[in-house]
Amino acid sequence: MSNRNYAIVGTGALGGFYGARLQQAGLEVNFLLRSDYDYVKEHGLIVESPEGDFTLPHVRAYHDAHKMPQCDVVIVALKTTQNHLLPKILPPLLKDNGAVLVLQNGLNTEPEVAKIVGAERVVGGLCFLCSYKVGPGHICHLDYGTITLGEYAQDYKAIGITNRMHQIAKDFKRAHIPIKMSEDLLLSRWKKLVWNIPYNGLSVVLDARTDELMANPDTLILVKEMMGEVVAGAKSCDRIIPDDFIPQMLEYTQKMKPYRTSMKIDYDESRPLEVEAIFGNPIRVAQQAGIKLPQIEVLYRMLKFVDVQRQEAERTRRLLGLH
Amino acid sequence: MSNRNYAIVGTGALGGFYGARLQQAGLEVNFLLRSDYDYVKEHGLIVESPEGDFTLPHVRAYHDAHKMPQCDVVIVALKTTQNHLLPKILPPLLKDNGAVLVLQNGLNTEPEVAKIVGAERVVGGLCFLCSYKVGPGHICHLDYGTITLGEYAQDYKAIGITNRMHQIAKDFKRAHIPIKMSEDLLLSRWKKLVWNIPYNGLSVVLDARTDELMANPDTLILVKEMMGEVVAGAKSCDRIIPDDFIPQMLEYTQKMKPYRTSMKIDYDESRPLEVEAIFGNPIRVAQQAGIKLPQIEVLYRMLKFVDVQRQEAERTRRLLGLH
């Protein structure tokens, strides 16, 4: 039995799900919460899942990182729009030889975390998970759940599979969380963007599900062309995504049940969009290597526009006390 | 007094306005109508305008081009989405030495008309007009109204200012319609696209007025970049739009009152969008010269998507008898 203890920073649909699984498997998990703190402190967590529902009546809930025990593995499961909070949260929470596992979308969040805790203490993880928060402490897991782990090193240098990855993977496997290992975190991140950039972006701007984007010949062309730009972005970082990857992603999406992307869910719920992590950072990384991604840039700037409009409307609604 | 007689093909907010002005000035004008035929036949036309309201209780209204007298000048004022009707309408309507004046948006409508009546009988016109149809035969003119005339020749070859242009201009000036003359129709069309492409497209996709597009830093960048692509498209046709033209257009738009673009009005009214004339044709013309316009293409395909979705919803609404 592992004696590693865990912290979950951001106990939402993703952090809550994985944290609950780890605790259920007998590990010590400390949950950092904000709005749901009181509720979860009293009632614990409920997870509904096709793999079996379960309840954790008691969890170690905190609303202040300084009051939490230091942990071996600190899982960052916040939306990237909240990353400005990390410099205050992470340092007191991490054991001297501990690691931060960044389970976030997009590109370049690991370097941000590395600036706070040091590159040698950062591991990246890509989640393929469909889950949502029904209410405080109540998570509904719909489908998938695999995490791809990858060791981070300065400038995303690929350093293969480390002991630390094996240790974390062991704990996750015990919690019935499927784990893959990546020898090259940056390549894995770009590969995930091949899906995330076109579908997340177009679904928000065009108010469309994945099946609608696939069925229309024009949006299908846009999806393919933007996937091609992501491949070009990866190449600008010397990461080669194989030629058959785009056709695979298209076929995979064609076979999926109609899906509302995570960014579309955020938009519909009036939450801030992860525009910089998923769009802005890849564009800037490619640009620094002299490569323009003009079609992704259109999507990026359109998303920033609708994000600002939506957040302003939301602020007005709150000021007026409307719901 | 000119003895030229006129036909107006498409008596809407544009054709109805200019036709009414010409008739008011004493010219013979024959109006082709479809849905508004019965009403206009009985009640004539009403024009409200800041330059003076006026009523024409009797107009020469037709709903069949074959029953109309042959005319010296046939003005095509249909939306380009209706251009499939022209091969049946134009031949019987045009005098042997008559001309077709194409008052439509976008690019490459003159060559389409030339295929029907011969290039030597086509004149182009670019309208800078804000007007809308209040109801059958009832037009509200809001602002502007200048027409830029340009002679068409095979492949948009620039052939300067012709006698025919002077004759038409004379009739229009008598009707108090401001006229400019272009020595190069294709250059004029590309210049108009510098404004029409970004503002029409972005206003529909982002549900925004011109002032909102100008106030947001990201959409302002998109507007500028897409204007740059239009300039590149013009250059692919050996037409040089001067460097100060984009800053002029931006300043002009900044100073305009908040404006709902004509394509946004079409969209809000569930009418088909002029996507091919304004977006598809310029993209294809540039592509034939080996120049890609990637950001305009994103807008083009997004517009085709929303256009199809809207038209399908509209058909469903009609089938269900809803309003």
Side-chain angles (χ1 to χ4, degrees), chain B residues 177-205:
Chain B
I177 300 163
I179 288 286
K180 289 182 183 173
M181 304 279 216
S182 167
E183 299 192 353
D184 185 344
L185 179 60
L186 184 57
L187 176 61
S188 297
R189 289 229 167 265
W190 276 109
K191 279 175 134 176
K192 195 174 180 204
L193 289 171
V194 170
W195 198 93
N196 268 342
I197 282 182
Y199 292 109
N200 275 293
L202 292 171
S203 70
V204 171
V205 171

Side-chain angles (χ1 to χ4, degrees), chain A residues 202 205-206 208 212-213 216 218-219 221-222 225-226 292 294-295 297-299 301-302 304-306 308-309, chain B residues 202 205-206 208 212-213 216 218-219 221-222 225-226 292 294-295 297-299 301-302 304-306 308-309:
Chain A
L202 292 171
V205 171
L206 297 176
E212 295 172 308
L213 298 174
N216 179 286
D218 287 288
T219 45
I221 289 174
L222 281 187
E225 290 191 349
M226 288 176 181
K292 243 184 101 66
Q295 300 197 314
E297 199 197 318
V298 174
L299 214 41
R301 298 200 183 280
M302 285 181 167
K304 282 178 78 180
F305 179 84
V306 301
V308 166
Q309 302 277 105
Chain B
L202 292 171
V205 171
L206 298 176
E212 294 171 309
L213 297 174
N216 179 286
D218 287 288
T219 45
I221 289 174
L222 282 186
E225 290 191 349
M226 288 177 179
K292 242 183 102 65
Q295 300 198 314
E297 198 197 318
V298 174
L299 213 41
R301 298 199 183 278
M302 285 182 167
K304 282 178 78 181
F305 179 84
V306 301
V308 166
Q309 302 277 105

Side-chain angles (χ1 to χ4, degrees), chain B residues 9 16 47 57 62 93 150 154 175 185 194-195 204 207 254 258 301:
Chain B
V9 176
V47 174
Y62 298 86
L93 200 47
Q154 191 73 38
L185 179 60
V194 170
W195 198 93
V204 171
D207 186 20
Q254 202 85 59
R301 298 199 183 278

Side-chain angles (χ1 to χ4, degrees), chain A residues 205-276:
Chain A
V205 171
L206 297 176
D207 187 19
R209 290 185 315 266
T210 50
D211 58 316
E212 295 172 308
L213 298 174
M214 294 305 283
N216 179 286
D218 287 288
T219 45
L220 180 57
I221 289 174
L222 281 187
V223 164
K224 287 179 190 172
E225 290 191 349
M226 288 176 181
M227 285 180 167
E229 285 196 354
V230 178
V231 169
K235 203 178 164 196
S236 81
C237 302
D238 299 319
R239 297 305 190 278
I240 305 304
I241 296 176
D243 286 344
D244 58 354
F245 191 73
I246 289 179
Q248 276 171 27
M249 283 294 104
L250 294 170
E251 199 191 328
Y252 159 79
T253 312
Q254 203 86 56
K255 287 180 181 165
M256 269 169 61
K257 52 194 167 198
Y259 183 55
R260 199 162 58 120
T261 66
S262 61
M263 187 171 271
K264 182 66 164 77
I265 293 171
D266 283 341
Y267 183 71
D268 291 345
E269 304 277 333
S270 293
R271 290 192 290 256
L273 306 180
E274 297 190 279
V275 181
E276 296 307 334

Side-chain angles (χ1 to χ4, degrees), chain A residues 29 41 77 94 115 120 210-211 220 287 296:
Chain A
V29 184
K41 180 85 189 162
L94 194 60
K115 273 186 203 151
E120 73 287 357
T210 50
D211 58 316
L220 180 57
Q287 193 148 35
I296 294 174

